[in-house]
Every structure is written in structure tokens, then in C-alpha cells.
Amino acid sequence: MPVWKVCGGKRLEGALDVQGSKNAVLPILAASLLSGGVTRLSNCPELLDVRASADILRHLGCGVMQNGGEILVDSSRMTENHIPHALMERMRSSVMYLGAILARCGEVRLSAPGGCELGARPIDLHLKALEEMGAEVRQSGGEVVCRAARLHGAHINLAFPSVGATENVMLAACAAEGETVLTNAAREPEIVDLAGYLNAAGAQVSGAGSAEVRIAGQMPGNAFTEYRVMADRIAACTFLCAAACAGGELRLGGVVPAHFATVTEALRELGCALLTGEDSVLIRADRPLHAGKPVVTRPYPGFPTDAQALLMSACLKARGTSVFVENIFENRYRHVPELRRLGAQIQVEGRVAMVTGVGSLSAAPVTATDLRGGAALILAALGAEGETHIADSGHIMRGYADLDAAMRSLGADISVAD
Ligand code: UD1
């Protein structure tokens, strides 16, 4: 099992360009099935989850070539509409293949994504929406089967603005007869990026980024589509919170600061100085931090659930009591007992976590429980005294490209070894 070794107490300083977005590229890779042609994506992060998605595409009969940050997918030939459990379980975002394969083949069979580190993670909203578009859904033996001789456009209102359900509807609707109007849609920037790709591939999607998305049905095939994946807003937040934990001055390039404005605002309240440009952000964290307003996770444009653990690490030594309310997932405080091992004072009561700032943190062996929780442990360790060992069964590499090298380039003392 990989173990991250972090020697805390080193100030971070320097500049880096942030990787392409994991949560954008994964649905776009699934969407590449729809065009029936060749897709060339640039700014793809080199991650375990991206590799898992490429393996799914290959299993389905597509040609996939990865060269650094570029991925070529040739989906002109598809020989399979079934994804076995072993491939599905490698990443949560494989549920996006439900809408994509249904759109392309009229039938899809895949193993139902089970619960995960963050809680139950049901897909009832995805399935209900697909049924409203004419799909027949069956679930048995741990598998979901969706069939539709013909999908039709529909007016779908999501009970909750689920990111995954919004993406699945957008994908299926591209093959439906007639227009689909999706209301209470998720408004995350990754939804806008998926719409950007689909439109480049010949679809007509409008309203992405608002609560009402319209998709004209039956997109024409496209021989060649080129698209650049957006920057990873959560990776950007990871580096900003790292600076807050360790102290220092960082300049992040290639980002869209508006995508993570709630996080920069929260860091300002803690006492960090931030300056945002058009595609860059500068953080200076040289003063002692103090608790800010309660941090409440909500669907975009609210504070992202993915940044909750990261900001919590930044608050561990902040004077006063920092309050967190996690509204998206029921089981998203699994990093808390690990942070306590480093000396953090955190109380959890249901959805609420209260962090009382301590004077110092000290190294201890800890375990990464999930992707962002694992990253939060690295950040806390950057601000702790001594060498922290973080055992990680692969969570962190699912979402960050060469995180150790990037952190080292900023002056951190960090390494990872099997
Ligand atoms: C969520 C985040 C997204 C983040 C991603 C990865 C939100 C709104 N979404 O997206 O920003 O990038 O995790 O960590 O913050 N739900 C149902 N039934 C469904 C689908 C969802 O009950 O069919 C519930 C989930 O259990 C969860 C909530 O809705 O409590 C959010 O789910 P959803 O937005 O679908 O999750 P992801 O797409 O994974």
C-alpha cells in the first residue's frame, strides 16, 4: 500500500499550473461514445480514474490512446453494451456510462454502483429520469439494465440538483426524439464543460450552468471533435488550502477563480490574503489564522462538498471555533478521527463539525479514508511538527496528478512510496 511521508513545517512558495479537471473529463470521456467518431481531448489529468475510464471505453470496443495530457478516443466501433463489475467498481463516475451507452446502443447493462466511502450514493434520480425519457429499467442481481427502442424528449424535474443525474440526462437526451427540458439541474462548472464538449461534438445543449438545461434530441454524428478540458477547481482549492496550512505564498495559473469563489472567500475570512486575476490566483498566508463564518456545503454555487475536508485542515490551528455543516453526503467526516490523531480538536454531531483551533499539530501515522479526506491529511501534515505517514490504498492518486512532485516543487518535504 502506498505510504505518503510528509515532513511538516516547510513554508510553501512558488507557482504552478493546475491540472485539468477530473470531474469534467470523466463524463466527457463517457460522452465521447455519442459522436461515433474521433474525439481529441487536451488538458486531461493523468489519474487512476482517467485510466479506469479509458479501460471501460476499450472494453466497449473503442480505440483509446493516451499521450501525456492528450487522449484520443475513436468510438466509431462499439462491440459491447455491458460493463462488468470489476471495471465499474474502479470509479464512481462510471455511472455516467448508463446514459451514454443507452444513447448510443438503446440498451445498457452495468453493475449497480454500490455505496462508497461517502455513504449510500443511490442512483434513483438517474433511473427515474431515464424512465421519463422512455427507458425501461430493471435491476436484478446487482445489475441495472436500461432499454429503450426509442428515447423521447421529456420535461424532467430533478428532486435534487444531482450532478451525476444531470449528466446522465444530458447524455441520454442527445439521442432522444424531440427536446428535453431539465429543471432543477445541477449548475456545477463541470456541467457547463460537458455541454461545451457535447456542443463541439454536434449536439445542441443550452442553459448549462443554470437550473434549466435544454437539449435538442438526436445529435448528428461527428467525425472529429476537439475539446480542452477545464481546470480542476478542487485541485486549485487543495493547493490554496495547503498554503493556508503550511504558510507561504503561491500563484496558481490556468484556473477560473470564479469556479471556487466560495473557497477563496472562506480562506480570506481565515486571514489569508488572496488576489484573483482572470485565470490565476495568488495566496499569501503569513499571519496566524482565525476562525471565520460557518462553512455550509451546498450544490454549486454554494461551498463545494469536495473542499470541506481541505478547508477543515486549514482551520485546525486557526484561533477560535470553526463550524462546518455537511449537507451533501451523510458520511463525509471520515477524515476527522485521523485529523484528531495529529492533535486536532474536532467534535462531530450529525452534519455539524466544530473545530477548535490548537496551538500546534504533531506527526502521527494516519490512514486516508477517501480522496479528498486523504488530501486533507496531507495538508494537515504540512502544518504539523515531525514526519507524518499517511497510508493510502490509492484514494489520493484517483484524483491528483503527481501531487507529491507538485508539492515538492513548492518546497514541501513529501514523498510517496509503495
Ligand atoms: C457530488 C457533488 C459534486 C462532486 C462529486 C464528487 C454536489 C451537489 N455534488 O456529485 O459537486 O464533484 O460529488 O465528490 O455537491 N442522490 C440521490 N439519488 C440520486 C443521486 C444523488 O439521493 O440518484 C443524493 C446523493 O446521495 C447525495 C446528493 O444527492 O447525497 C448529491 O449527489 P450527486 O450530486 O449526484 O453526487 P455526485 O454526482 O457524485
Side-chain angles (χ1 to χ4, degrees), residues 22-23 92 118 120-126 160-165 188 233 298-300 305-306 328-330 332:
K22 168 177 94 70
N23 290 340
R92 167 78 198 172
L118 308 183
R121 302 194 83 169
I123 58 165
D124 54 314
L125 300 176
H126 306 230
F160 177 86
S162 152
V163 175
E188 267 73 354
R233 62 194 171 104
R298 296 190 205 282
Y300 192 84
T305 177
D306 279 350
I328 306 296
F329 293 111
E330 76 261 30
R332 205 155 196 187

Side-chain angles (χ1 to χ4, degrees), residues 15-379:
L16 56 80
D17 283 338
V18 171
Q19 69 185 49
S21 165
K22 168 177 94 70
N23 290 340
V25 73
L26 295 175
I28 290 174
L29 284 170
S32 70
L33 288 177
L34 299 188
S35 74
V38 172
T39 288
R40 180 156 74 204
L41 299 176
S42 56
N43 204 32
C44 295
E46 292 176 70
L47 308 170
L48 283 186
D49 270 14
V50 170
R51 253 191 257 165
S53 196
D55 287 344
I56 289 178
L57 287 168
R58 286 189 191 103
H59 164 81
L60 297 172
C62 301
V64 185
M65 265 174 32
Q66 262 175 286
N67 185 8
E70 200 173 278
I71 298 188
L72 268 178
V73 182
D74 178 356
S75 67
S76 52
R77 224 170 60 97
M78 248 186 96
T79 50
E80 263 293 341
N81 61 7
H82 167 228
I83 307 180
H85 183 66
L87 281 173
M88 279 299 288
E89 70 173 358
R90 281 172 58 194
M91 59 157 191
R92 167 78 198 172
S93 297
S94 45
V95 71
M96 240 49 73
Y97 282 95
L98 199 59
I101 300 176
L102 182 66
R104 175 74 188 267
C105 306
E107 178 166 344
V108 51
R109 180 159 65 92
L110 39 81
S111 80
C116 75
E117 312 83 50
L118 308 183
R121 302 194 83 169
I123 58 165
D124 54 314
L125 300 176
H126 306 230
L127 299 179
K128 180 164 176 281
L130 295 176
E131 278 177 338
E132 284 171 16
M133 299 173 74
E136 179 204 320
V137 177
R138 270 192 306 114
Q139 292 190 74
S140 69
E143 285 200 322
V144 184
V145 182
C146 289
R147 250 190 225 116
R150 172 183 156 272
L151 287 165
H152 56 76
H155 181 180
I156 296 166
N157 183 58
L158 292 179
F160 177 86
S162 152
V163 175
T166 299
E167 290 167 342
N168 258 327
V169 169
M170 286 165 70
L171 295 171
C174 282
E177 273 171 38
E179 187 186 50
T180 296
V181 180
L182 178 63
T183 51
N184 202 25
R187 297 162 62 188
E188 267 73 354
E190 292 78 11
I191 301 286
V192 179
D193 219 34
L194 176 60
Y197 167 76
L198 288 170
N199 286 336
Q204 284 179 54
V205 180
S206 59
S210 79
E212 182 174 305
V213 180
R214 288 175 177 263
I215 306 107
Q218 296 187 319
M219 78 183 251
N222 203 5
F224 183 68
T225 307
E226 189 148 26
Y227 195 73
R228 184 178 166 82
V229 176
M230 65 178 266
D232 195 313
R233 62 194 171 104
I234 305 301
C237 295
T238 305
F239 289 106
L240 294 177
C241 291
C245 288
E249 188 169 327
L250 299 185
R251 184 184 179 282
L252 305 181
V255 293
V256 183
H259 287 171
F260 48 90
T262 48
V263 179
T264 43
E265 193 42 45
L267 286 165
R268 262 193 203 110
E269 280 183 21
L270 292 181
C272 301
L274 285 114
L275 204 64
T276 53
E278 204 174 298
D279 64 354
S280 65
V281 53
L282 185 85
I283 182 166
R284 194 177 318 124
D286 278 329
R287 291 176 297 167
L289 303 180
H290 49 79
K293 287 193 205 121
V295 173
V296 183
T297 66
R298 296 190 205 282
Y300 192 84
F303 190 94
T305 177
D306 279 350
Q308 175 254 109
L310 306 170
L311 191 77
M312 188 178 286
S313 284
C315 293
L316 299 178
K317 294 193 287 180
R319 193 159 33 85
T321 302
S322 306
V323 177
F324 289 80
V325 183
E326 172 57 56
N327 280 320
I328 306 296
F329 293 111
E330 76 261 30
N331 197 10
R332 205 155 196 187
Y333 285 134
R334 292 184 61 206
H335 48 283
V336 166
E338 303 302 310
L339 290 174
R340 284 195 194 117
R341 294 167 64 84
L342 301 174
Q345 254 192 52
I346 309 170
Q347 272 184 304
V348 175
E349 194 69 50
R351 292 170 177 274
V352 180
M354 287 199 296
V355 181
T356 306
V358 292
S360 65
L361 298 166
S362 51
V366 290
T367 303
T369 54
D370 60 271
L371 165 57
R372 307 302 170 186
L377 294 178
I378 291 182
L379 304 196

